[in-house]
Amino acid sequence: MAKALKLIIGLLLALVLIVAVGLAALLVFVDPNDYRGQIEAAVQENTGRSLAIEGDLRLSVFPWLGLELGRIRLGNAPGFGDAPFAEVAAAQVRARLLPLLRKELEVDRLTLQGLRLDLQVDKSGRSNWADLAGESAAAAEKPAAAASAPGLAALAIGGLEVSDAQLSYRDATTGAHYQIRDLALGSGPIALGRPTDMELSLNLQANQPPVSAAITLRSEITLASSLQQITLAGTRLGVKAKGAALPVPELDLKLASDIAVDLGADSMTVSKLELEVLGLNLLGEIAGTAITTAPQFSGRLRLEPFSPRNLLTRLDQPVPETADKGVLGKLTVDTAFSATTKSAALSELKILLDDTALTGKLAVEDFARQSLRFDLTVDAINLDRYLPPPSQTPPPTAGSAAVGTAELPMELLRALNVAGNFRIGKLTASNLTSEEVRITVNAKGGRIRIHPASARLYGGSYSGDIGLDATGTEPAYALNEKLEKVQVGPLLKDLMGDDKLLGTANLEARLTARGNGPDAIRKTLSGKAAFTFTDGMVKGINVAQLLREASAKLKGEPVPKSDEANATDFSALGGSFTIDNGVVDNRDLDARSPLLRVQGAGTADIAKETMDYQLKVGVVGTLAGQSGEALSDLKGLTIPLRIHGTFSEPRFRVDLNEVLSEQSKAKLDAKKQELKAKEEQIKQEQKAKLEEKKEEAKQKLEDKLKNLLKR
């Protein structure tokens, strides 16, 4: 852009000098109107376009070398209709003759009235000005390094005046139509190295997007004597726009700045930048280098404090219903930045939202690949304040129509190219409080991984590795998570409002799931997990009291009353479980307390929120009722306790009949064994006596035989 501007200025100055000398000769020797026909014919021959010069051509030489033109029309390119390509109602330029001889250009006020310019692109992409360019596109793009402005000792222009100008642009390939009307440009006297005031105003209408705008621009312009530096001091841009494409029915924008452009160094600076729009006030400083070759910009921007709530109201957008009506009341942004045509980065970023501060850096390393990189830190935030207030109606149960409607944006997930770290000093979410939250995110090609993830919470710690694969038709999830030494009671109290389980918890889980929506995830959840609890308590069930009541009912005795808490203490509780498509299966539950030993097995359906669990409670101590009577008959027994029903309304049943019938059977079996042993003993004794008698008879017989032989 800078080289092009340099070339244009040089060509204009050279053109003015050439025209000045030529006009002097023409004025002396010829009447320019005599050559009107030849000029029109030459244009027709060289461009294929018609040129109509309707007004007189008037020349002057001394003391001003000048040219005045009447109405002129230049025809359109073939195929673009009969309307003129360009039209001028009147134009005038005059330069003092004697200063030209000293290589000083002193021009009177330049005027241009009634300019009409019609720019078009047809359906094939051909423009109606391409034939006038003269150079090929490739040649036009070559740097104009050889071009230089003619040496001038001084430049002075009495001023510029453009009035009643209109420009139209139509693109048949897109259907776009842009029109500038009532364009007016005026300036004070222009001299090298001296500031001059400039004013511009116009009305813009467009259909893509549909918008109309009144634009004004005021500035104090200084062009250095070397023609290499241009400054625009006190620049003020105003835009008042209307249109359906705008965020508000009427948009009022004000921009102020000081701008300096150095064509030789190919650089620019924008200072004292102030943008006001929609009640927002943006301040900044910008510096640019290599602005015409490989633009690079850097600087600092600050968005003054404003109310997001008020901004949403101004935009006629719904204000989110939040649990805390005071949030979204104040936001400010302060950051350094750098940018090229391919990338952009924010550093030293500081965002203040209400009483939360976010700091760090954020960058898009490649616009084409949408590669986002970040390293951000939040001091403390309570997300619950920004969520809707708790509903007065109960939440929908699993499987209901209101559950499972949320779906992940799969195309967006596949397009992510993100890597970064996120830290939160203190986080409150779903009424859970955690500290020192650390998250590392990597996402590319539809595969998203959050690892490592860690936090301190409720006296313990969390660590996790979370993966999401969005490359298939439905998302797939993988979780590897661990809780260590977490006080589960306060956690459940904050999360669910009821601490039904107390103790120090340790949990390890490796789980997978698939599906787009919570309901699908619950139905496909699979994996393995193991857990332990120490020094805990299960609320909502007093196993000792259940045993007392069942024993009393079985004996026909009054049910004992108890003022004990409806809870069961345990010194240790642990186990493992597998999950297969949302069904949890546990076979090794083991819990211990001074009075009880509990083993358990059963299943729970996460999707249906139902369970069927069987506990075997071993009584190892003495359970005394309120009356002080000991249930010694239960000591040493294993008592079945069934827990079934829904998660929200579980039911408990103790089956002592089975235990006591087993006990009676055991006693009967023992009696039978005793009788059988006695019967066997008698048989053995009788057998022994019989053997003894046989031996006695045998001996007697042998004695008699001996006596007979002796005789």
Side-chain angles (χ1 to χ4, degrees):
M1 182 183 72
K3 292 182 178 180
L5 183 59
K6 177 180 178 181
L7 175 61
I8 291 172
I9 293 174
L11 291 175
L12 286 175
L13 293 175
L15 181 61
V16 170
L17 288 173
I18 293 170
V19 170
V21 175
L23 287 177
L26 285 173
L27 185 62
V28 174
F29 300 108
V30 299
D31 180 359
N33 292 286
D34 294 340
Y35 295 89
R36 182 182 305 177
Q38 296 180 22
I39 296 173
E40 294 174 346
V43 171
Q44 179 72 44
E45 180 181 354
N46 288 278
T47 67
R49 301 183 182 220
S50 62
L51 177 68
I53 304 175
E54 299 180 1
D56 288 338
L57 302 177
R58 290 191 289 271
L59 298 176
S60 62
V61 175
F62 192 84
W64 294 95
L65 181 62
L67 172 65
E68 293 184 23
L69 305 174
R71 184 173 299 276
I72 298 178
R73 291 189 180 93
L74 178 63
N76 228 319
F80 288 93
D82 297 330
F85 170 77
E87 180 179 355
V88 175
Q92 180 181 13
V93 58
R94 295 195 307 171
R96 287 189 180 275
L97 182 59
L98 293 180
L100 282 175
L101 303 179
R102 300 190 299 268
K103 293 188 177 181
E104 297 177 356
L105 181 59
E106 187 175 332
V107 180
D108 194 9
R109 192 167 189 82
L110 301 177
T111 63
L112 181 66
Q113 298 177 5
L115 171 65
R116 302 292 185 267
L117 185 61
D118 178 30
L119 303 176
Q120 298 184 46
V121 177
D122 64 16
K123 292 182 179 180
S124 67
R126 183 174 64 97
S127 70
N128 66 342
W129 65 87
D131 59 321
L132 298 177
E135 295 179 325
S136 66
E141 293 177 358
K142 292 181 180 179
S148 60
L152 283 179
L155 171 66
I157 301 176
L160 298 175
E161 182 179 351
V162 178
S163 60
D164 189 27
Q166 295 187 19
L167 291 83
S168 177
Y169 173 82
R170 296 178 183 271
D171 189 338
T173 63
T174 62
H177 181 205
Y178 306 101
Q179 190 169 28
I180 294 176
R181 295 181 176 177
D182 304 323
L183 186 151
L185 172 65
S187 76
I190 300 173
L192 295 179
R194 295 182 182 180
T196 184
D197 293 333
M198 186 272 292
E199 292 187 8
L200 171 70
S201 64
L202 60 90
N203 290 318
L204 170 67
Q205 287 187 331
N207 68 340
Q208 292 183 4
V211 65
S212 62
I215 301 173
T216 60
L217 176 65
R218 294 180 176 85
S219 186
E220 186 179 75
I221 301 177
T222 302
L223 179 63
S225 57
S226 64
L227 304 179
Q228 298 298 298
Q229 291 82 33
I230 304 172
T231 60
L232 294 87
T235 303
R236 297 292 184 270
L237 172 68
V239 178
K240 293 185 177 181
K242 299 179 181 180
L246 299 176
V248 292
E250 295 186 6
L251 181 67
D252 191 355
L253 179 147
K254 297 178 181 178
L255 175 66
S257 67
D258 289 345
I259 303 172
V261 178
D262 190 326
L263 301 179
D266 201 19
S267 65
M268 67 174 296
T269 60
V270 178
S271 58
K272 299 180 182 179
L273 175 66
E274 183 172 353
L275 172 65
E276 296 181 28
V277 61
L278 297 173
L280 305 178
N281 190 12
L282 178 68
L283 308 178
E285 305 282 337
I286 302 173
T289 59
I291 57 177
T292 65
T293 55
Q296 296 184 18
F297 298 94
S298 62
R300 192 164 199 94
L301 298 173
R302 173 177 172 79
L303 187 60
E304 294 287 273
F306 71 97
S307 168
R309 284 185 178 272
N310 293 344
L311 177 61
L312 290 171
T313 301
R314 184 188 294 265
L315 295 173
D316 197 25
Q317 296 296 315
V319 179
E321 187 179 8
T322 55
D324 185 347
K325 303 298 183 183
V327 300
L328 302 177
K330 182 180 179 181
L331 175 64
T332 184
V333 180
D334 189 355
T335 184
F337 76 93
S338 60
T340 69
T341 57
K342 297 180 179 180
S343 64
L346 303 180
S347 59
E348 302 177 27
L349 175 64
K350 185 174 183 180
I351 300 176
L352 296 176
L353 175 61
D354 300 323
D355 52 2
T356 294
L358 181 148
T359 57
K361 55 185 179 180
L362 178 68
V364 180
E365 292 185 345
D366 191 322
F367 292 143
R369 294 185 299 156
Q370 301 181 34
S371 54
L372 177 65
R373 304 294 181 261
F374 64 89
D375 189 352
L376 302 171
T377 299
V378 171
D379 58 352
I381 187 169
N382 184 343
L383 293 180
D384 294 339
R385 298 171 62 197
Y386 296 86
L387 296 176
S391 174
Q392 300 300 318
T393 58
T397 58
S400 68
V403 175
T405 57
E407 293 190 355
L408 295 177
M410 298 292 287
E411 292 300 324
L412 176 61
L413 293 177
R414 295 186 186 111
L416 286 178
N417 185 351
V418 178
N421 301 302
F422 195 75
R423 292 171 291 273
I424 305 177
K426 184 176 182 181
L427 170 67
T428 301
S430 299
N431 210 36
L432 293 179
T433 300
S434 53
E435 298 178 336
E436 297 181 11
V437 179
R438 302 288 187 272
I439 297 174
T440 298
V441 179
N442 283 280
K444 191 173 183 180
R447 289 183 171 87
I448 303 166
R449 188 182 185 191
I450 301 176
H451 174 75
S454 63
R456 291 198 305 109
L457 68 165
Y458 298 93
S461 63
Y462 161 84
S463 60
D465 184 352
I466 303 170
L468 169 61
D469 189 338
T471 59
T473 56
E474 59 181 4
Y477 313 87
L479 298 91
N480 182 3
E481 299 185 289
K482 180 185 291 187
L483 288 175
E484 292 184 297
K485 299 180 180 180
V486 172
Q487 297 302 313
V488 71
L491 185 150
L492 292 176
K493 184 71 173 179
D494 287 348
L495 179 64
M496 306 176 65
D498 190 356
D499 51 349
K500 290 186 177 181
L501 181 63
L502 304 179
T504 302
N506 296 277
L507 171 67
E508 289 189 50
R510 290 178 176 269
L511 306 174
T512 61
R514 65 183 185 279
N516 205 329
D519 195 39
I521 293 173
R522 281 191 290 266
K523 291 179 180 179
T524 60
L525 188 64
S526 301
K528 295 181 179 181
F531 61 92
T532 62
F533 292 86
T534 57
D535 301 325
M537 174 188 294
V538 179
K539 292 185 177 182
I541 176 173
N542 187 332
V543 175
Q545 181 63 14
L546 286 175
L547 297 181
R548 295 189 193 101
E549 293 174 357
S551 178
K553 290 179 180 178
L554 187 63
K555 296 177 180 179
E557 299 175 353
V559 176
K561 295 182 179 180
S562 174
D563 57 359
E564 296 177 357
N566 188 26
T568 300
D569 295 329
F570 59 86
S571 57
L573 184 153
S576 62
F577 56 85
T578 61
I579 306 177
D580 185 11
N581 290 327
V583 178
V584 181
D585 191 342
N586 165 248
R587 297 294 162 184
D588 60 354
L589 179 71
D590 184 82
R592 299 173 181 271
S593 76
L595 301 177
L596 305 172
R597 296 291 185 270
V598 181
Q599 292 182 331
T603 61
D605 192 319
I606 297 175
K608 297 179 180 178
E609 295 188 357
T610 60
M611 60 181 172
D612 191 354
Y613 207 81
Q614 191 77 26
L615 296 176
K616 293 182 178 180
V617 183
V619 181
V620 297
T622 300
L623 302 176
Q626 197 173 35
S627 62
E629 179 182 0
L631 300 178
S632 59
D633 54 336
L634 298 180
K635 185 176 181 179
L637 298 181
T638 299
I639 303 164
L641 171 61
R642 186 185 179 198
I643 306 174
H644 61 105
T646 64
F647 291 175
S648 58
E649 296 181 359
R651 299 192 298 274
F652 307 94
R653 182 171 65 85
V654 178
D655 191 357
L656 278 182
N657 286 321
E658 179 183 343
V659 176
L660 295 180
S661 63
E662 289 292 333
Q663 185 181 30
S664 300
K665 181 180 178 182
K667 290 180 178 179
L668 180 60
D669 289 342
K671 191 68 174 177
K672 287 181 179 180
Q673 290 296 329
E674 182 181 354
L675 292 174
K676 185 176 181 180
K678 287 183 178 181
E679 182 180 354
E680 185 66 26
Q681 182 181 1
I682 292 172
K683 287 181 179 181
Q684 293 298 327
E685 289 176 352
Q686 289 177 347
K687 183 178 180 180
K689 289 180 179 180
L690 181 61
E691 291 294 332
E692 184 179 352
K693 288 181 179 181
K694 287 182 179 179
E695 287 294 329
E696 289 178 355
K698 180 179 179 182
Q699 188 65 42
K700 288 180 179 181
L701 180 60
E702 289 179 353
D703 290 344
K704 287 181 178 181
L705 289 174
K706 288 180 180 180
N707 290 332
L708 289 174
L709 292 173
K710 288 180 179 180
R711 292 177 182 175

